[in-house]
Amino acid sequence: MHIPDSFIPLSQAVIYWIIALPFIITSMKWAKNELDEMKVPILAALAAGIFAIQAMNIPIGMGTSGHMVGAALVAIVFGSPWAGVLVLTLVLIVQGFAFGDGGVTTMGANILNMGVISGFIGYYTYIALRKSVGTSIASFGGAWLGLFISAIACAIEMWIAGTFPLRAGLMAMGTYHLIIGFIGEGLITSIVITAIAKSRPDLLEDNFTARPEKNKKETHA
Amino acid sequence: MSRKSNVKFFYIGIAIAFLLAVLAPFLASSDPDGLESAAGGIVEESKMSQIEATEPVVSSPMPDYSIEGLGKGGEVAAIAVGTLAVLAISLGLGKVFSKKI
């Protein structure tokens, strides 16, 4: 879903950068407030793993392939969608500048779609579902929906750009990413989260991930 | 949980990342991705050839995760270099931002 430079006119690409910037800055603030020596190795391992897995395109039929995005996975592990925005921003910067995967002008749109939209929808869907259906299914559902909605957003951006017709764009992007989201995003996220829940349940507990304001005050007092 | 178990998580993550870097050039599908596939199916031909003729704004040193003339080995190297770069940036960011505990 990496949008190349040629798919969005520069005037619009700039607007997506402007929209993406506050999210990127907030994710840096999240890092400043939340990262400590315990969490850095986890963040670095996830970022490296997500970069590598994005090179692994899975065939989905119809002459099409797709790969995991990973923002939902990072958000679930860290208990914050800002962690997903941060990691996807880093990954997209390296992909765009070193490998020409996703344009540099369109990087704002790519960060918005894959970092912000898929991460936020993925994370909050997971939170909404996890009490009723459990960690494994909730992480599957969240990751799948996050990817699907980000593909829909991408189709709308392509329509505004004048690159795709609206209906056909929504149909094609929706169909492909429904399947990519199922295998590439939902299944892998669920397997990784389930494995973490078994081997390192402490990572998914709220006290490791989200630090509630109350605790923060107590520790600083 | 102890710092040690997070370091273990770190090494397992890195091992998986580099395993993927080695396998991806051989196992990954070369079919177009969802966006490219959609474009191929619905964008009219004249516009598509115009899009295809447009060069990226910034030329990258290792386009399409490959190193010119090095074949599959070059692809493995390219993905490994990218993985290392992401790792280094995350650790660097962690060093700048993280609090000592």
Side-chain angles (χ1 to χ4, degrees):
Chain A
M1 213 197 303
H2 292 59
I3 305 168
D5 291 311
S6 54
F7 277 40
I8 301 181
L10 187 60
S11 57
Q12 293 181 21
V14 170
I15 292 172
Y16 293 118
W17 259 118
I18 294 171
I19 302 171
L21 264 178
F23 287 98
I24 299 168
I25 293 168
T26 310
S27 79
M28 305 284 262
K29 283 189 184 147
W30 172 86
K32 199 163 174 276
N33 291 330
E34 297 296 326
L35 277 186
D36 56 36
E37 285 180 328
M38 293 283 281
K39 293 175 194 167
V40 170
I42 308 283
L43 187 87
L46 285 173
I50 282 166
F51 174 85
I53 208 163
Q54 288 205 359
M56 188 65 97
N57 276 57
I58 301 163
I60 59 156
M62 302 176 284
T64 303
S65 71
H67 61 70
M68 186 183 188
V69 166
L73 172 65
V74 179
I76 293 168
V77 171
F78 278 92
S80 166
W82 297 110
V85 176
L86 181 74
V87 166
L88 263 291
T89 302
L90 300 181
V91 167
L92 283 161
I93 287 172
V94 172
Q95 287 171 333
F97 281 101
F99 303 99
D101 193 10
V104 171
T105 62
T106 48
M107 200 178 283
N110 285 324
I111 291 172
L112 211 55
N113 294 340
M114 287 183 269
V116 178
I117 297 176
S118 84
F120 270 80
I121 299 215
Y123 178 68
Y124 286 107
T125 306
Y126 164 79
I127 293 296
L129 292 178
R130 103 185 134 162
K131 291 234 158 64
S132 51
V133 297
T135 306
S136 302
I137 297 173
S139 54
F140 176 90
W144 173 80
L145 189 68
L147 185 92
F148 178 71
I149 301 294
S150 71
I152 295 299
C154 181
I156 294 169
E157 291 155 14
M158 291 300 103
W159 172 63
I160 299 170
T163 306
F164 287 5
L166 182 61
R167 232 181 96 90
L170 285 172
M171 284 297 291
M173 287 297 282
T175 308
Y176 294 143
H177 290 90
L178 203 78
I179 307 169
I180 295 169
F182 201 85
I183 310 162
E185 200 73 36
L187 214 55
I188 299 175
T189 304
S190 179
I191 289 169
V192 175
I193 293 294
T194 307
I196 293 176
K198 285 218 171 81
S199 60
R200 289 290 310 275
D202 59 301
L203 278 186
L204 298 177
E205 279 167 16
D206 292 340
N207 59 0
F208 173 84
T209 51
R211 291 185 187 180
E213 278 304 308
K214 197 172 52 152
N215 287 2
K216 214 183 253 176
K217 276 185 195 136
E218 278 164 14
T219 45
H220 285 289
Chain B
M1 209 28 120
S2 70
R3 188 181 156 77
K4 215 171 141 190
S5 57
N6 284 8
V7 172
K8 188 176 155 203
F9 186 104
F10 177 73
Y11 285 117
I12 293 173
I14 304 304
I16 293 173
F18 282 102
L19 184 68
L20 284 165
V22 173
L23 295 177
F26 302 96
L27 296 183
S29 165
S30 55
D31 286 339
D33 78 2
L35 179 65
E36 294 162 343
S37 212
I42 60 179
V43 176
E44 52 183 282
E45 241 169 77
S46 61
K47 192 168 175 73
M48 197 62 201
S49 50
Q50 187 192 330
I51 284 175
E52 278 167 353
T54 314
E55 291 288 321
V57 171
V58 175
S59 65
S60 50
M62 292 171 277
D64 295 326
Y65 303 94
S66 62
I67 300 172
E68 215 183 330
L70 291 185
K72 291 280 183 201
E75 290 179 36
V76 171
I79 300 169
V81 167
T83 306
L84 271 177
V86 171
L87 194 62
I89 297 171
S90 326
L91 289 175
L93 206 72
K95 231 181 168 57
V96 174
F97 284 143
S98 77
K99 297 184 286 271
K100 300 250 184 254
I101 47 169

